[in-house]
Amino acid sequence: MRREDSVYLDNAATTYPKPEAVYLAVEGFMREVGGSAGRSGHRRAVETGRMVYSARESLARLLGASDPLRIAFARNATEAINVAVWGLLKRGDHVVTTSMEHNSVMRPLHAAASRGISHTVVTCGRDGSLDVALLAEEIRPETALIVVNHASNVTGTILPVADVAQVARERCVPLLVDAAQTAGRLPISVELDGIDMLAFTGHKELFGLQGTGGLYVREGLDVAPICFGGTGSSSSSLEQPGDMPDRLESGTLNAHGIAGLGAGVEFVLSEGVDRIRAHEVELTRRLLEGLNRLGGARTYGPSALEQRIGVVPVTFDRMWPPDAAEALDSRYGIATRPGMHCSPLAHRTIGTAETGVLRVSFSYLNTAAEVDYLLESLSELIAG
Ligand SMILES: Cc1ncc(COP(=O)(O)O)c(C=O)c1O
C-alpha cells in the first residue's frame, strides 16, 4: 500500500465503498424509472413497484423468510427497532435484553420506562458473550419481549440467537433480533432459527444506502404501526391497512435507496454469505495476530474467531484511542472509529467505559494488504 491511498476501516458505522452495481442501480433508477411504488398504473409506478418487490424478495432469500411481504422497509435499524418496541409493548409489560445492546435498543427501552414498560439488562461476559441460562432466568410472566443483538458493534461478539429463540419459544415471548451488524455478514434464517422479528439496516454489510433498513415480522404476530398514512392501498378507507407490509410502511417509499439496497443484497447473494464470512474471518485473524505481535496493544472480544465478526476493538499502553484514530487518519489516511460507538453498556461490560476503544471494522471489500498497512502504521505510532 502507498501512504496516499486512503483505507476505510470503519465499516461497522457504514460500509464504504459500495459494489459498483449499487451505484449503477441508484443512478439507473433515478434517471430511467423514477416512479412511486403502488401509487398509479403508469409504467414508471409499476416498474418501481416491481423493483421494490424484487428487493423484498432478495432480502427474504437472504434472511430465510419464505414470504417477502413480511418485510417492511424502514429508514434504518433504529427505526425498525422502534417500530417493534412501540408497536408491540404496552404499559405493564417487561422486556429482557443484554448489556451488549446499541443505544438503538437501550434508548427506546429507557424511554419506555416512563410509560410503565420496564426492562432487565442481562450482563454479558467480559468478552461480550451471553449466557442464555441467565437470560432465561430473567423472564417473568409479564415479559412481553426479548431483544438481543446478533453481534456486538463494539467487540464483534456473536450472540447465540438460535438458542435465545428456543428459550423465547418455550416461554412464549416474542424475540426481536438486532441484525444491524450481521445481515449480509453471517448466515441468518429467521424461519429455521425461529426469530419472531428481525431489524436490519441497509447501509452496512448489505452495501445499500444510508436511509434504508427494515423489519421482518413473522406471520401471525401483529406489530401495530407507529406511523399512519398513505400506502397506495385501500385508499378510500381512513383505517390503516392491516396487512404487511403496508401496515408498517406509510408514506412514499425511499425507492432510489431501495434500488441501491436491492443491488447490494443481490451482490451479497451472488458472492455468498459463507464466502463473505470466510474473508472477514481471515482479515480478523490477520489483524489480531499482527496486533499481538506488535505489543503495546490490547484487543477485546472472544478469542475464538468463529465467535466474532470483523470488528476489532483495540486499546494501547501509551496512546489514547482518539489520538490513535486522529494520527491514523491524518498521517496514514486510515479511517477507524474511537469512542463509545453508541453502546455505553457494552463498554462497561468489557471494562472500557473510561477510555473507549479504537474500533477497526472490516467489510468484504477490504484486503489483506490494507490490514498489513494498518499494522505497519500502528507499529510506527506505537514506537513514537
Ligand atoms: C448493533 C447495532 N444496532 C443498531 C444500529 C443502528 O443502525 P442504524 O444507525 O442504521 O439505525 C447499529 C449501528 O451502528 C449497530 O451497530
Side-chain angles (χ1 to χ4, degrees), residues 99-100 123-129 344-353:
S99 67
M100 294 309 287
T123 304
C124 291
R126 293 278 288 196
D127 61 355
S129 58
L345 286 190
H347 279 280
R348 230 179 280 164
T349 306
I350 67 169
T352 53

Side-chain angles (χ1 to χ4, degrees), residues 12 76-78 102 104 149 153 178 180-181 201 203-204:
N76 44 43
T78 303
H102 188 272
S104 56
N149 211 328
N153 61 309
D178 172 5
Q181 289 296 340
T201 206
H203 63 98
K204 300 188 198 272

Side-chain angles (χ1 to χ4, degrees), residues 25 38-39 51 57 80 130 147 167 169 202 220 264 292 299 304 341 368 372:
R39 286 349 191 233
M51 178 279 290
E57 276 185 322
L130 172 67
V147 191
V167 168
R169 210 164 37 249
N292 211 18
T299 59
H341 314 96
D372 293 346

